Structure formats: structure tokens, C-alpha cells
Amino acid sequence: MTAMTHAMLKGSNVPLDAMAVRAVLRWTPGAGVPDVDASALLLGSSGRVRSDEDFVFYNQPRHPSGLVRRLPKRSAPEGLTDTIEADLSALDPSVDQVVIAASCDEAPFEQVRDLRISLYDAASADGEPLAVFDVRAETGEETAVICGELYRRGDGWKFRAVGQGYPTGLIGLATAFGISVDEAEAASEPGPPAEPAPDAQASFPPAPDATQAHAPQTAPDSQATIQHQQPSYGYPQPSVAPQPAYGYPQQPTGAPQPAYGYPQPSAAARPAYGYPQPAAAAAHAADPNFVLPPQGPQFLRS
């Protein structure tokens, strides 16, 4: 490979003769400048990772194959550096791209000064870079940026300058390429509080309305039971046997009663209210011991 360095523009690409490369991110530190972390994603033909192991970053600095790894940060005269190294010639054929990204969760990239990605031949310790690309924030709100990508072209590899930003940090970048982010890991990332999950929202009881504000509180299970067994508020509560509507006399569980305001009959049926009550049938029978009283003398014949 010649010593000529390609100064790249966004979207441009350059073929690579070196099959083991070192991508170095460099920036100028200072007051208010956030720290920058380099990461790499190994993508298949679908443009997504094949598994979560295809994500190389500060918590997983080495790919299981050992062919892509993150090197320790260094302080150089030109600034701070963070490096990704990849052996392209030995990568599995199912890997079509290696995306090189930068992230800073402390502040947006508009506060990062002089961010640049330089691509070196890993076999040459002190050689000139093969390509350089000055990465600039597009909106100023980015907290993660794809600086460049190494991709297959025929039997060889090329490098493309990308410069695409994400306002969602390393977590948003990783999930965009199919990484399943662990909840504990996501919680450790700074930023605005996350919205509660639909299940967590469903677990909170609804606020009581005005009719329930002074009602005694019961356990959730008993509330659910009451809700399904009782009628709406303002209506009488039924006993075991159904009762008539509110305002009407309540009927016992025995024989039905007549309407309200009428006399209640005994076991035998009675006539309507205001009529004389009949005597018993025995009161009309002839008395066998009946005798007329004695006749007075004025009625005797002489």
C-alpha cells in the first residue's frame, strides 16, 4: 500500500489493500468536551447484526472470534484516541460490513472538537493513515455517530465515510442494528427517564372518582369482586332472592303479597276492604236443643 492518504468527504469510498486495519477516532479534549467511545457492529447481508455478540464496545471489547476488538484509549499530542482493530481477511463470509461508530452520552457531538477517523494498516505500526475523514455533527444534537464502514466489494474490502448521527446515544444506535439491549444496561445509561412499559402502566390502579373518594379502601381482589357482583351506585342491593325496585314494599321469600295499601289476607281468601266478614258455616245450622219460651196467659184459651 502506498503512503498516500485519502482525505475523504462524506459518502465517498476508497478500496483497501490492507486486510487488517486499525480505525482510530481522535478528538481534542478540553473544558466542557465530553468523552468519546469507539464501537463496532458486525453486520450480515440484511444490514443487521447476526447476534448480540456482533457488538464490540466498552462493555464487550472483543468479538468472540477475536478478529474485531477495541483497544485501550490513549493520549496523543494531537488529542485523545479510541481505536477499533479488525482482521478483515479472516472474518466469516456471513459478515458483510463492519460499522465504526462513536458515542458520547455526557453531551451532544456539537461539543466535541476536531473529531476525526483515521484508517491505518494494522501491519504497519508507524505508517501514514490510508484514509482520514473529519466527522462533523449535522444537527448538533447527535450523541452517537457512524463515522465510517468497512464493507465487502467482490473479493476485497472498501472503506466509506458515513457521518450519520443518532440523537439516542449508543443504546439507540445499537437497537437500530438489531441489538437486544439489556434493561439493566439501558438503565445505567444517563439521559431523560424512560417512559413506563405498557405492562407497568397496566399494573397501577386507576384513580378513584368522586363517588368513591370517601369509600373505605379494600384489597384489589375484593374490589374486583364487588365490581362484578353489585349493581350500579344508587340502586338497592339485592339479597339472596331478587328484590323489587327501590321504593316498593319488599316481599318475603314466601307467598307473594298484594300491592301496597291493601289489607293483607290470611291463609284463607278474604273479601275486599269495607265489606262485612262472613261467619262460619256452623253459625247457620239448626240447634237440636232449641225450645220456644213458655207462652203467657194472655195467649191461652179458656
Side-chain angles (χ1 to χ4, degrees), residues 295-301:
Q295 301 294 321
Q298 64 274 23
F299 296 104
L300 296 177
R301 294 179 180 179

Side-chain angles (χ1 to χ4, degrees), residues 104-159:
C104 57
D105 293 305
E106 300 171 2
F109 266 99
E110 65 179 353
Q111 300 184 27
V112 178
R113 298 186 298 176
D114 307 320
L115 180 63
R116 167 180 284 191
I117 181 171
S118 301
L119 198 65
Y120 292 85
D121 184 347
S124 176
D126 300 321
E128 293 294 319
L130 308 177
V132 295
F133 171 49
D134 293 328
V135 184
R136 295 182 176 87
E138 294 179 316
T139 66
E141 300 299 322
E142 299 91 339
T143 50
V145 176
I146 298 176
C147 300
E149 62 179 3
L150 304 161
Y151 63 98
R152 292 184 187 271
R153 184 60 73 225
D155 296 331
W157 287 79
K158 285 188 171 185
F159 175 74

Side-chain angles (χ1 to χ4, degrees), residues 9-298:
L9 299 175
K10 182 176 180 177
S12 62
N13 62 78
V14 60
L16 299 176
D17 292 334
M19 289 294 100
V21 296
R22 191 169 61 251
V24 180
L25 295 179
R26 179 188 59 78
W27 66 98
T28 302
V33 177
D35 194 26
V36 176
D37 294 300
S39 57
L41 296 109
L42 285 67
L43 310 182
S45 58
S46 64
R48 297 169 67 85
V49 296
R50 301 165 302 169
S51 72
D52 289 350
E53 294 178 337
D54 286 342
F55 187 27
V56 177
F57 67 118
Y58 49 78
N59 281 346
Q60 187 171 273
R62 187 180 182 89
H63 190 263
S65 67
L67 302 175
V68 179
R69 59 185 181 136
R70 178 177 180 263
L71 303 182
K73 289 184 178 180
R74 297 183 182 277
S75 179
E78 299 83 7
L80 297 177
T81 65
D82 202 4
T83 303
I84 298 291
E85 195 171 72
D87 185 355
L88 303 176
S89 63
L91 280 177
D92 190 275
S94 62
V95 177
D96 281 358
Q97 302 175 57
V98 179
V99 170
I100 310 297
S103 62
C104 57
D105 293 305
E106 300 171 2
F109 266 99
E110 65 179 353
Q111 300 184 27
V112 178
R113 298 186 298 176
D114 307 320
L115 180 63
R116 167 180 284 191
I117 181 171
S118 301
L119 198 65
Y120 292 85
D121 184 347
S124 176
D126 300 321
E128 293 294 319
L130 308 177
V132 295
F133 171 49
D134 293 328
V135 184
R136 295 182 176 87
E138 294 179 316
T139 66
E141 300 299 322
E142 299 91 339
T143 50
V145 176
I146 298 176
C147 300
E149 62 179 3
L150 304 161
Y151 63 98
R152 292 184 187 271
R153 184 60 73 225
D155 296 331
W157 287 79
K158 285 188 171 185
F159 175 74
R160 177 183 291 117
V162 179
Q164 178 182 348
Y166 291 78
T168 50
L170 186 62
I171 298 297
L173 173 68
T175 54
F177 286 99
I179 295 293
S180 301
V181 179
D182 183 72
E183 291 183 2
E185 177 186 334
S188 67
E189 296 290 335
E195 292 294 329
D199 290 343
Q201 291 176 344
S203 66
F204 290 102
D209 56 25
T211 62
Q212 298 173 341
H214 302 287
Q217 298 297 319
T218 55
D221 288 344
S222 61
Q223 287 178 345
T225 304
I226 291 172
Q227 181 178 1
H228 291 288
Q229 289 182 351
Q230 305 255 6
S232 302
Y233 179 82
Y235 288 87
Q237 309 304 312
S239 59
V240 176
Q243 299 286 340
Y246 181 80
Y248 288 88
Q250 308 302 310
Q251 303 241 355
T253 56
Q257 299 285 342
Y260 179 80
Y262 289 87
Q264 308 302 315
S266 60
R270 294 185 177 182
Y273 179 80
Y275 287 85
Q277 304 305 313
H284 301 280
D287 186 355
N289 300 317
F290 176 76
V291 177
L292 290 173
Q295 301 294 321
Q298 64 274 23

